[in-house]
Amino acid sequence: MKKLTLSLLVLLSANSFAQDINTQALKACSMIENDFKRLVCYDQIIAGKSIDISTAKTPVMVEQSKAINKEEKFGLEHKNISANSDSEQIALVKKVKKAPHGELVITLANGQVWRQIGTDNFRVKADNEVTIMRGALNSFLLKKMGSNKTIRVKRVK
């Protein structure tokens, strides 16, 4: 009986130690559009501090030492967080070679190197014009001009 009353007493006293959360301040934080500032606002409310969003610092992104234009960034979004590029690119094929497992490795005139994912049959040779476009789930498709067939590719460099 003593254990039951003791545990009941502990459960009832836990509410007395809890702080009251300002629901109006929480609603004010939910109106903030910037994710980082909204999180800082919530943290300040939980810590019992006053809300001051203007002093919140945004995280510093690592800057690239060299400025890269859109053509150089295309297909490298997974390697560079701040890259935003167009949905397709047209280029001229400079060189085509086969990888050990039969995939094509295509070098474009602009210096980009793309590797075929899979071993589907696809005919492309030097001086062909190709279009590289975005596919589903951050993938890329390569299509030869004048053809409807596409292959899935990834950028090597």
Side-chain angles (χ1 to χ4, degrees):
M1 184 68 174
K2 286 183 182 181
K3 289 182 183 179
L4 181 63
T5 56
L6 183 61
S7 60
L8 185 60
L9 183 63
V10 169
L11 287 174
L12 292 174
S13 65
N15 285 341
S16 64
F17 291 114
Q19 294 177 359
D20 290 331
I21 297 177
N22 187 350
T23 56
Q24 189 175 15
L26 286 174
K27 287 179 184 177
C29 286
S30 69
M31 299 294 186
I32 299 171
E33 291 183 19
N34 184 312
D35 293 338
F36 182 74
K37 289 183 180 182
R38 184 173 50 250
L39 180 63
V40 169
C41 182
Y42 286 136
D43 288 345
Q44 287 178 346
I45 290 172
I46 296 300
K49 298 177 183 176
S50 62
I51 302 172
D52 186 18
I53 298 165
S54 63
T55 61
K57 304 274 187 209
T58 57
V60 178
M61 300 293 274
V62 178
E63 294 184 18
Q64 298 284 336
S65 60
K66 178 182 139 186
I68 301 174
N69 67 27
K70 281 187 177 185
E71 188 174 279
E72 290 174 343
K73 290 189 274 185
F74 187 82
L76 292 177
E77 289 83 4
H78 63 284
K79 294 181 181 178
N80 185 0
I81 296 171
S82 63
N84 288 327
S85 61
D86 298 331
S87 61
E88 73 176 42
Q89 172 185 352
I90 299 173
L92 193 64
V93 176
K94 183 178 179 183
K95 181 172 74 171
V96 178
K97 66 178 184 175
K98 283 206 174 201
H101 293 289
E103 307 98 351
L104 296 175
V105 178
I106 301 165
T107 305
L108 302 179
N110 59 14
Q112 295 179 0
V113 179
W114 293 82
R115 184 180 182 124
Q116 179 183 6
I117 300 172
T119 56
D120 295 340
N121 189 20
F122 189 77
R123 294 179 189 218
V124 64
K125 56 185 178 182
D127 296 327
N128 283 140
E129 196 171 71
V130 294
T131 302
I132 300 173
M133 57 198 129
R134 291 188 177 281
L137 301 173
N138 207 18
S139 65
F140 293 92
L141 300 169
L142 184 134
K143 175 182 165 185
K144 187 169 93 172
M145 293 299 243
S147 171
N148 288 333
K149 186 166 181 163
T150 61
I151 58 171
R152 200 163 298 280
V153 292
K154 70 176 181 178
R155 183 158 174 198
V156 179
K157 62 175 191 181

